[in-house]
């Protein structure tokens, strides 16, 4: 396995680890939070995913995180229900917010890559 492949595997592992931590954190806070803000901890995991490996990692983290948190923390709990309008609106709002995180994060990654290329060019 090449160094690039190892770095990619490491980035994906860290990204999914961040997702697991986000869900576990929400689960630990559940006695205090109840039904409010069921998806709040996922935004950090999505941001970590886009920072680590770009949108190709952030999108699966956002989707898997939503399914996990919907099942565990959105009423009716332990059931996946998108027939309730509030759940549909919540999903749309979540996807919109995650899209913003991914777009801004990806733009930052591109800018950092270009800056690195320019620094390297000046160094040479």
């Amino acid at each position: 396995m090449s160094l690039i492949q190892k770095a990619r595997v490491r980035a994906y592992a860290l990204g999914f680890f961040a997702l697991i931590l986000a869900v576990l954190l929400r689960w630990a806070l559940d006695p205090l939070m109840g039904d409010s803000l069921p998806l709040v901890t996922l935004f950090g995991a999505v941001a970590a995913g886009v920072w680590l490996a770009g949108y190709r990692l952030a999108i699966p983290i956002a989707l898997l995180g939503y399914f996990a948190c919907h099942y565990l923390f959105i009423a009716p709990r332990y059931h996946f229900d998108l027939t309730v309008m509030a759940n549909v609106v919540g999903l749309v709002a979540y996807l919109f917010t995650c899209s913003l995180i991914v777009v801004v994060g990806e733009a930052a990654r591109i800018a950092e890559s270009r800056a690195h290329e320019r620094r390297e060019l000046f160094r040479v």
Side-chain angles (χ1 to χ4, degrees), residues 31-84:
L32 299 171
M33 297 178 72
D35 289 340
S36 65
L37 303 172
L39 307 170
V40 71
T41 57
L42 296 179
F43 299 120
V46 173
V50 76
W51 178 65
L52 288 165
Y55 71 91
R56 288 185 177 97
L57 176 58
I59 291 172
I61 286 174
L63 296 176
L64 290 173
Y66 178 80
F67 289 125
C69 285
H70 184 106
Y71 184 78
L72 294 171
F73 309 118
I74 295 176
R77 288 180 182 223
Y78 312 112
H79 185 267
F80 193 79
D81 185 12
L82 285 177
T83 61
V84 177

Side-chain angles (χ1 to χ4, degrees), residues 4-51:
I4 294 173
Q5 289 172 327
K6 286 181 182 179
R8 185 173 294 136
V9 168
R10 182 175 175 257
Y12 274 71
L14 286 172
F16 286 110
F17 182 69
L19 172 60
I20 291 167
L21 284 178
V23 174
L24 288 175
L25 176 61
R26 180 59 180 85
W27 179 73
L29 294 172
D30 196 52
L32 299 171
M33 297 178 72
D35 289 340
S36 65
L37 303 172
L39 307 170
V40 71
T41 57
L42 296 179
F43 299 120
V46 173
V50 76
W51 178 65

